[in-house]
Amino acid sequence: ERRRLEDEISRTIGVMAGGMAHEFNNLLNVAIGNIDLVLDSKGGDEMQRERLSRASGALLRSADVSRQLADFGLRGERSDLPQPIDQALDQIWPFIANSVPAGFVLVRERANEDVPIRIDSRGLRSALSNLLQNAYDSMPGGGQVFVRTWVRREPGADGPIVNLDVTD
């Protein structure tokens, strides 16, 4: 009973931390976006631009801390119960969608069937975040990034193969 109560408290703290990180990240994105707009303009003296650049750097570091807090919110999300990949993505999607830079559109395409698999939500979020960051970095002018899940069957395979594609 004590262990169950500790697990429930830990889960509650994790959910709260993840929710706070999500909201904090929203605020950071507004601040970073506005600073970037000012830096992209031609106005202002060098000292102002330097101060804004330092402020932007501090906000970007704060966003990293926010992501770590969100990761804390997902700790323990490794489940022994199989679930469809789209269900796992539904759980982490608010964090993913919140970190889309200005000038990008994130498009999600769901699997053609639900095949339950064991998924480490934290690992999935980390891997998807890294793939998306690579996609954003490869298109400095912005664009569309597609996240697609799909299932295929191959002769001789032990079962269906679940796929996750990120395409820029």
Side-chain angles (χ1 to χ4, degrees), residues 22 74 77 83-98 108-111 114 119 121 124-125 128 147 149 164:
H22 177 75
L74 287 175
E77 289 296 317
Q83 62 179 325
I85 192 164
D86 283 316
Q87 184 177 337
L89 278 175
D90 288 343
Q91 294 168 1
I92 64 170
W93 198 255
F95 299 105
I96 297 298
N98 187 51
R108 182 169 169 200
E109 298 176 15
R110 299 174 81 81
D114 287 338
I119 299 174
S121 294
L124 176 64
R125 178 169 177 238
L128 184 56
V147 176
T149 54
L164 171 66

Side-chain angles (χ1 to χ4, degrees), residues 129-144:
S129 293
N130 288 333
L131 289 170
L132 288 170
Q133 190 59 54
N134 289 343
Y136 303 146
D137 290 346
S138 73
M139 300 186 305
Q144 288 188 327

Side-chain angles (χ1 to χ4, degrees), residues 12-99:
T12 301
I13 290 171
V15 168
M16 186 176 71
M20 289 172 57
H22 177 75
E23 292 302 318
F24 186 62
N25 218 23
N26 284 341
L27 297 171
L28 289 171
N29 284 334
V30 169
I32 291 168
N34 281 297
I35 288 174
D36 287 346
L37 286 173
V38 172
L39 287 173
D40 288 344
S41 71
K42 302 295 180 202
D45 66 23
E46 190 59 35
M47 178 63 92
Q48 288 174 331
R49 296 179 73 71
E50 176 62 28
R51 287 179 178 154
L52 286 172
S53 183
R54 276 188 266 145
S56 181
L59 289 170
L60 288 170
R61 286 190 299 281
S62 297
D64 286 338
V65 171
S66 177
R67 279 189 281 282
Q68 291 172 3
L69 185 58
D71 283 343
F72 171 78
L74 287 175
R75 78 173 167 64
E77 289 296 317
R78 180 179 222 137
S79 174
D80 290 336
L81 299 174
Q83 62 179 325
I85 192 164
D86 283 316
Q87 184 177 337
L89 278 175
D90 288 343
Q91 294 168 1
I92 64 170
W93 198 255
F95 299 105
I96 297 298
N98 187 51
S99 62

Side-chain angles (χ1 to χ4, degrees), residues 100-114:
V100 178
F104 288 91
V105 175
L106 191 57
V107 179
R108 182 169 169 200
E109 298 176 15
R110 299 174 81 81
N112 50 337
E113 65 179 288
D114 287 338

